[in-house]
Amino acid sequence: MSAARLSSDVSASDEAAIAARLPDYLARSYARYSNFTVASAVVDEQGGVHFGVNVENAAYPSGTCAEQTAIGAMITAGGRRIARVYIAAGSDAVVQPCGACRQRIGEFAARTCEIVSVQGGAATVRTPFWSLLPEAFGPADLE
Ligand code: THU
């Protein structure tokens, strides 16, 4: 991935490569309680790509979502602004981020951030992130 791109600028070939890799990450998901595997990729504004899977726990509420894991990877790598979030599920479902993950994504989402659902290794439904979290509570509220 090349550096210093604008948030809306994930090339079609980069997108195809990310979507094609998500099924491999689905196989790494730890979903022994729900059997609902989820994989996510967060692309930051520098073009860095950060993958994550859901990681469940015997103490059920301690489990983490795929998007949460991917955001943690982005922050750890030094990324701070999310351009796109790719989400794939092990079922045929078109998965949108859960409510808690919308809040987590919103903390870092660029104005033009998009959520892209991936099915069968290809991008399908594309949703403007902020349409999923209108009137959000965010960092500015604490200033
Ligand atoms: N899950 C995610 O990882 N991301 C979502 O956006 C929706 C739900 C996970 C959490 C749990 O491990 C499983 O899917 C079933 O809810």
Side-chain angles (χ1 to χ4, degrees):
M1 309 285 157
S2 62
R5 281 197 294 238
L6 299 175
S7 61
S8 57
D9 188 16
V10 178
S11 73
S13 63
D14 284 353
E15 177 160 293
I18 293 165
R21 286 182 68 185
L22 279 181
D24 292 335
Y25 280 93
L26 278 174
R28 300 182 189 174
S29 156
Y30 183 78
R32 67 178 284 178
Y33 304 104
S34 73
N35 288 316
F36 191 81
T37 58
V38 184
S40 179
V42 168
V43 182
D44 67 38
E45 281 197 316
Q46 277 67 49
V49 184
H50 313 280
F51 289 92
V53 297
N54 55 333
V55 184
E56 297 186 348
N57 192 280
Y60 293 177
S62 298
T64 54
C65 285
E67 299 91 321
Q68 189 175 358
T69 313
I71 290 168
M74 179 192 80
I75 295 298
T76 305
R80 285 294 183 272
R81 186 68 45 215
I82 298 175
R84 284 199 198 169
V85 180
Y86 294 85
I87 306 173
S91 72
D92 288 338
V94 172
V95 172
Q96 296 284 7
C98 75
C101 281
R102 293 177 196 202
Q103 184 68 26
R104 294 184 181 106
I105 294 165
E107 182 77 16
F108 306 106
R111 190 179 49 80
T112 56
C113 179
E114 292 180 337
I115 305 296
V116 182
S117 299
V118 172
Q119 292 169 291
T124 55
V125 177
R126 189 178 299 278
T127 309
F129 169 72
W130 289 108
S131 73
L132 300 176
L133 194 67
E135 309 297 336
F137 180 84
D141 292 299
L142 297 180
E143 285 169 4

